[in-house]
Amino acid sequence: MQIRKVLNSSVVLVQEDNGEESILLGKGIGYGRKPGQTIDRQPGDRVFIPLSNPDAQPMMELFSSIPPEYLDLTEEIVRDAEATLGVHLSPHIYLMLTDHLHFAVERQQKGIVVSNRVFWEIKHFYRKEYEIGLRGLQRAEALLHVTLPQEEAGNIAFHIVNARQDPAAGYDAMQAARLIGELTNIVTYSMHAKVDSESIHFSRFISHLQFFAERFFSGKLMDSQDDFLFRQMQQGYPEATACAEKIRTFVLRKYGVFLPNEETAYLALHIARLTTQEG
């Protein structure tokens, strides 16, 4: 590949032999480089984003205007997240998280405090992502010499959760966290059950709600038209089914979406597992 433009020490614009242009991200790849020089393709530690990608132009503008350490920080966080979660994150995160981190440091330096309204939900319902966010704050302190508030770990987690989804799906981690919190409250108060937030039962329940939220906000709710499980839950676990019906009513009133019997039945099933502490 031939370098067309060096945006900073970690970002270059390259052109391949077939004429296609891409943004190449990687720590130190632009250091000492000049347009016209060639550079080898090493996909193991570099990120390629074609200029045809909708994020390409905003990325070029952002990376040309901020210190490269911010992108280096994002890359370290993304590598941590992909290794920890065993997933491949959308390249969209390189734009959104880098921009967020730059603005977060700017706000911190100016003494401007912006609270994350769903910090508690993100912290408790996306624990792995939140722990990655905490490590991200440590990396920020080492790379940028700035101590960001703990709430920023929640914001980093938010970007990671979003990057696990298809950007075109319209999924929003903050909306999902808020919904999960609302449904958890309904179950807690309706079932009058002591819930151990550290238990495997609670983890399973939250995991189900996370997948439910993904289906809900992407418009892919389960609806097989087979009411067998729903009838079984009504007969075997009437209290859990009644609680799931409360959730169905709440969701219809607040979000204008009627939950199919299949989704309601699975909610009842997981409510029963949570509140009866079955294995």
Side-chain angles (χ1 to χ4, degrees):
M1 300 176 296
Q2 188 178 68
I3 297 175
R4 293 289 308 279
K5 185 177 183 181
V6 177
L7 302 181
N8 64 42
S9 63
S10 295
V11 189
V12 294
L13 177 64
V14 297
Q15 184 177 46
E16 301 197 54
D17 292 339
N18 60 9
E20 291 185 3
E21 292 185 324
S22 300
I23 299 174
L24 182 59
L25 313 178
K27 189 171 183 178
I29 60 170
Y31 184 76
R33 302 272 189 171
K34 295 180 180 180
Q37 290 183 330
T38 58
I39 187 170
D40 294 330
R41 173 185 282 272
Q42 297 176 358
D45 60 353
R46 294 173 181 174
V47 180
F48 294 82
I49 301 174
L51 281 192
S52 57
N53 188 303
D55 287 334
Q57 194 59 42
M59 280 184 177
M60 290 177 64
E61 294 175 5
L62 176 67
F63 299 151
S64 297
S65 61
I66 66 172
E69 289 79 14
Y70 287 93
L71 177 59
D72 295 341
L73 174 58
T74 294
E75 286 192 289
E76 289 190 15
I77 293 172
V78 169
R79 280 198 297 270
D80 183 6
E82 292 184 333
T84 301
L85 303 173
V87 299
H88 182 68
L89 301 182
S90 165
H92 189 59
I93 194 171
Y94 290 99
L95 172 64
M96 301 305 294
L97 182 55
T98 305
D99 187 41
H100 174 85
L101 291 168
H102 181 247
F103 191 41
V105 172
E106 187 177 289
R107 291 198 311 266
Q108 178 76 0
Q109 291 171 341
K110 293 181 179 180
I112 300 173
V113 179
V114 179
S115 62
N116 181 340
R117 294 183 179 180
V118 290
F119 172 70
W120 189 91
E121 287 87 348
I122 290 283
K123 179 179 178 179
H124 288 83
F125 301 147
Y126 292 97
R127 293 186 180 184
K128 288 184 178 179
E129 290 86 351
Y130 179 72
E131 288 169 2
I132 295 165
L134 288 176
R135 293 195 292 271
L137 296 189
Q138 294 174 348
R139 289 184 166 95
E141 189 162 8
L143 276 173
L144 308 175
H145 310 292
V146 61
T147 302
L148 293 172
Q150 201 172 66
E151 278 198 348
E152 286 300 335
N155 290 327
I156 292 171
F158 155 75
H159 285 288
I160 292 170
V161 175
N162 272 350
R164 296 184 67 169
Q165 313 299 320
D166 177 0
Y171 182 84
D172 186 315
M174 287 193 176
Q175 275 188 321
R178 188 177 292 113
L179 174 62
I180 292 169
E182 292 166 342
L183 302 193
T184 302
N185 285 338
I186 291 173
V187 173
T188 302
Y189 290 116
S190 296
M191 299 300 289
H192 305 290
K194 262 192 172 182
V195 176
D196 180 6
S197 63
E198 302 298 323
S199 71
I200 183 64
H201 309 284
F202 186 75
S203 296
R204 286 172 178 164
F205 179 65
I206 295 303
S207 179
H208 174 73
L209 290 186
Q210 289 172 347
F211 286 118
F212 167 77
E214 290 177 16
R215 295 192 299 274
F216 182 80
F217 287 113
S218 61
K220 297 178 180 178
L221 290 172
M222 294 186 294
D223 187 7
S224 67
Q225 304 298 319
D226 183 354
D227 288 344
F228 177 75
L229 178 60
F230 183 75
R231 293 194 300 270
Q232 289 286 97
M233 293 305 299
Q234 283 181 314
Q235 294 171 11
Y237 298 93
E239 290 185 10
T241 304
C243 182
E245 287 287 4
K246 288 183 180 180
I247 289 176
R248 174 148 62 179
T249 299
F250 168 80
V251 169
L252 179 61
R253 287 176 177 172
K254 179 165 183 178
Y255 296 94
V257 176
F258 182 79
L259 299 183
N261 280 353
E262 185 177 7
E263 285 287 0
T264 306
Y266 276 106
L267 282 169
L269 178 63
H270 285 275
I271 291 167
R273 291 184 74 182
L274 175 67
T275 55
T276 60
Q277 302 291 282
E278 294 182 351

